Amino acid sequence: MSDAGAARPATDWPLFEVFIRSRSGLEHKHVGSLHAADARMAIEHARDVYTRRQEGVSIWVMRSADIIASDPAEADSLFEPARDKVYRHPTFYAIPDEVKNL
Amino acid sequence: MYTQALDSQGREPVAAPAAEAAASAAFQARIDAEEKVEPKDWMPQAYRQTLIRQISQHAHSEIVGMLPEGNWITRAPTLRRKAVLIAKVQDEGGHGMYLYSAAETLGISRAQMVEQLLSGAAKYSSIFNYPTLTWADVGAIGWLVDGAAIMNQIPICRCSYGPYARAMVRICKEESFHQRQGFEIMLTLAQGSEAQRVMAQDALNRWWWPSIMMFGPPDADSKHTTQSMRWKIKRFSNDELRQKFIDITVPQAQFLELTIPDPQLRWDEAAQHFRIGPIDWSEFQAVLQGNGPCNRERLEARRAAHRAGEWVREAAAAHAAKQPRREGNQT
């Protein structure tokens, strides 16, 4: 290992996920992640990394470790209940053409 | 921005053991159906390793790529040029951040990648081991180096690995100004005084061949191309991309009334392509192996920056550790 290795911290700063509201009226949308020592630094880094071209009017950050995600391997069984319920869509219902405004 | 056939560097991926064969076949079927692979999906170990190597090298290239251009920030000829150059160099830093994040989703830590760069174990695009001797070099880098990088990167926007593809979409969007500002610098110099014209020609003379080599070795010698194309990490071969770049760049040089430093360059009427003379690959190999003009200087600059930032990282960590205690006291 080089001399550069000696002073390096053993671990990274915590990882944060970044969400940006691109303009008022729209939802915050996930744009990526970054490392920061704390939440405030995460906001400031998010501004520099993800909004250099006025991409946002509001930023949310949260620790990636706090996200609870569904398991892709279980996606089939998790989403199975919706699979046979086509009657939840308007196109399921046959309405005579003469009937308007439905 | 700065890829250079990154899949052509490093070790061969290990072959999948027999037990994984079925899973690998299912994986390949997903790839063939143009499905995107996401971080928590199952993937062959060799796919993961190939991406870690390629994305981290790409990220390192962005970070090291800040150095040659950063060299001219204090000496940019006008305030406008200086503001533009700062914005461009800052973009490169941002692109490095997007890419490190994408690589981290594959299970390597940021600290590991930084360590690989600083120890010299990791590769980065060898184009950044050339010096920026004059202001015209800043123009030539934007025009040629960013031009070649964009040519390489646009197909990666459709890469099978979701996080890499998404980072690339963002990068390509931001990058389009980089090449244009470079061409604008070349145009201004080419239409300027005799001395400025000479400076522009000199920059083209020095950057042309290294830019051509950014696409990596010829297809026949590119050991990872076939597998990377099967995995849809790569969409076009090195030679295909190189030819595209030559075909669009030669007319731009003609517009500038500058001469491409290749006496054998000719228009192939039948094929409708420009044909270049032979490439000196021994130079490429020398730079790749650490013997370019600036290899040591670039790594030392990164190490010095890392050392100089040490106290800032420590202070930030100490501050962060104090925060919960303070908040506890207030309530």
Side-chain angles (χ1 to χ4, degrees):
Chain A
M1 195 44 56
S2 74
D3 58 342
R8 196 169 307 123
T11 53
D12 286 314
W13 283 336
L15 191 64
F16 287 82
E17 298 301 319
V18 181
F19 301 81
I20 306 264
R21 185 198 291 284
S22 55
R23 55 189 166 83
S24 99
L26 296 181
E27 69 276 49
H28 285 78
K29 204 175 154 199
H30 184 244
V31 293
S33 57
L34 48 76
H35 290 277
D38 56 31
R40 181 168 169 195
M41 187 195 273
I43 294 271
E44 285 166 4
H45 283 183
R47 177 202 59 194
D48 293 342
V49 177
Y50 292 106
T51 66
R52 288 194 302 282
R53 287 170 176 78
Q54 297 181 291
E55 286 94 339
V57 296
S58 165
I59 299 172
W60 286 352
V61 294
M62 68 178 293
R63 283 181 180 247
S64 311
D66 290 339
I67 290 184
I68 297 152
S70 65
D71 180 354
E74 290 173 6
D76 274 355
S77 57
L78 185 65
F79 298 108
E80 194 280 331
R83 202 169 295 149
D84 58 354
K85 297 178 178 62
V86 282
Y87 45 83
R88 285 180 168 157
H89 297 277
T91 47
F92 178 75
Y93 304 92
I95 306 288
D97 286 347
E98 310 85 276
V99 184
K100 300 298 174 202
N101 301 316
L102 246 176
Chain B
M1 69 185 254
Y2 299 125
T3 57
Q4 92 174 355
L6 293 161
D7 61 321
S8 65
Q9 303 169 356
R11 287 191 304 271
E12 285 289 343
V14 281
E20 279 188 12
S24 288
F27 178 82
Q28 188 60 50
R30 287 187 63 198
I31 299 278
D32 293 342
E34 296 286 338
E35 273 184 47
K36 294 287 178 196
V37 180
E38 293 297 338
K40 297 207 165 141
D41 296 349
W42 186 88
M43 62 189 88
Q45 197 55 23
Y47 177 84
R48 185 183 297 276
Q49 290 311 322
T50 298
L51 279 169
I52 288 177
R53 187 185 64 231
Q54 176 167 339
I55 302 172
S56 63
Q57 286 177 4
H58 195 165
H60 298 326
S61 302
E62 303 284 353
I63 300 302
V64 177
M66 297 167 82
L67 298 171
E69 291 180 292
N71 180 37
W72 280 91
I73 288 176
T74 56
R75 293 173 290 164
T78 66
L79 186 58
R80 175 182 180 270
R81 296 285 188 207
K82 182 184 283 205
V84 167
L85 188 55
I86 290 172
K88 178 180 190 298
V89 172
Q90 193 189 10
D91 270 357
E92 309 305 357
H95 297 172
M97 296 301 114
Y98 307 152
L99 289 162
Y100 281 131
S101 289
E104 284 177 77
T105 64
L106 292 157
I108 187 170
S109 74
R110 181 78 56 103
Q112 275 174 287
M113 287 186 278
V114 170
E115 186 171 289
Q116 288 172 355
L117 174 64
L118 298 184
S119 73
K123 296 264 191 279
Y124 55 85
S125 188
S126 54
I127 192 93
F128 302 116
N129 291 317
Y130 291 88
T132 41
L133 304 178
T134 71
W135 170 251
D137 288 12
V138 175
I141 287 179
W143 172 38
L144 299 173
V145 177
D146 287 75
I150 291 170
M151 191 65 79
N152 262 332
Q153 289 177 160
I154 285 176
I156 309 178
C157 295
R158 293 188 294 127
C159 165
S160 59
Y161 188 58
Y164 192 24
R166 291 191 286 274
M168 224 57 212
V169 168
R170 223 185 149 81
I171 289 172
C172 286
K173 211 186 281 176
E174 296 185 352
E175 200 118 287
S176 49
F177 103 75
H178 296 184
Q179 192 188 13
R180 290 170 68 108
Q181 66 86 37
F183 188 82
E184 190 198 63
I185 289 172
M186 294 303 279
L187 187 59
T188 306
L189 293 173
Q191 294 175 344
S193 67
E194 183 53 25
Q196 286 174 317
R197 231 194 127 61
V198 168
M199 194 194 279
Q201 181 63 55
D202 169 63
L204 173 57
N205 290 350
R206 284 180 293 108
W207 290 95
W208 171 253
W209 288 108
S211 302
I212 293 297
M213 291 185 229
M214 278 178 71
F215 295 93
D219 293 348
D221 304 337
S222 180
K223 53 183 176 175
H224 297 310
T225 291
T226 314
Q227 182 58 69
S228 280
M229 287 181 86
R230 196 176 304 137
W231 277 331
K232 300 193 195 287
I233 292 172
K234 188 169 182 163
R235 299 275 179 168
F236 299 98
S237 76
N238 296 353
D239 287 335
E240 285 174 309
L241 291 169
R242 184 173 5 251
Q243 186 61 54
K244 268 195 194 182
F245 175 73
I246 292 164
D247 287 339
I248 65 159
T249 308
V250 171
Q252 292 167 354
Q254 290 168 341
F255 181 87
L256 294 171
E257 297 182 15
L258 296 177
T259 309
I260 301 272
D262 177 359
Q264 296 185 46
L265 180 74
R266 64 183 175 85
W267 172 247
D268 180 344
E269 182 63 39
Q272 294 287 298
H273 287 301
F274 285 100
R275 299 297 182 196
I276 58 168
I279 299 173
D280 177 9
W281 290 109
S282 62
E283 178 186 319
F284 178 77
Q285 291 303 335
V287 178
L288 205 60
Q289 278 150 31
N291 299 315
C294 299
N295 293 53
R296 285 168 200 83
E297 184 186 328
R298 298 292 184 237
L299 264 193
E300 193 35 56
R302 286 313 313 154
R303 287 179 188 141
H306 198 74
R307 279 195 298 270
E310 182 65 42
W311 72 270
V312 180
R313 292 192 296 278
E314 273 174 17
H319 179 72
K322 266 194 256 172
Q323 289 310 104
R325 264 184 283 149
R326 268 193 207 148
E327 279 159 22
N329 291 342
Q330 279 163 8
T331 48

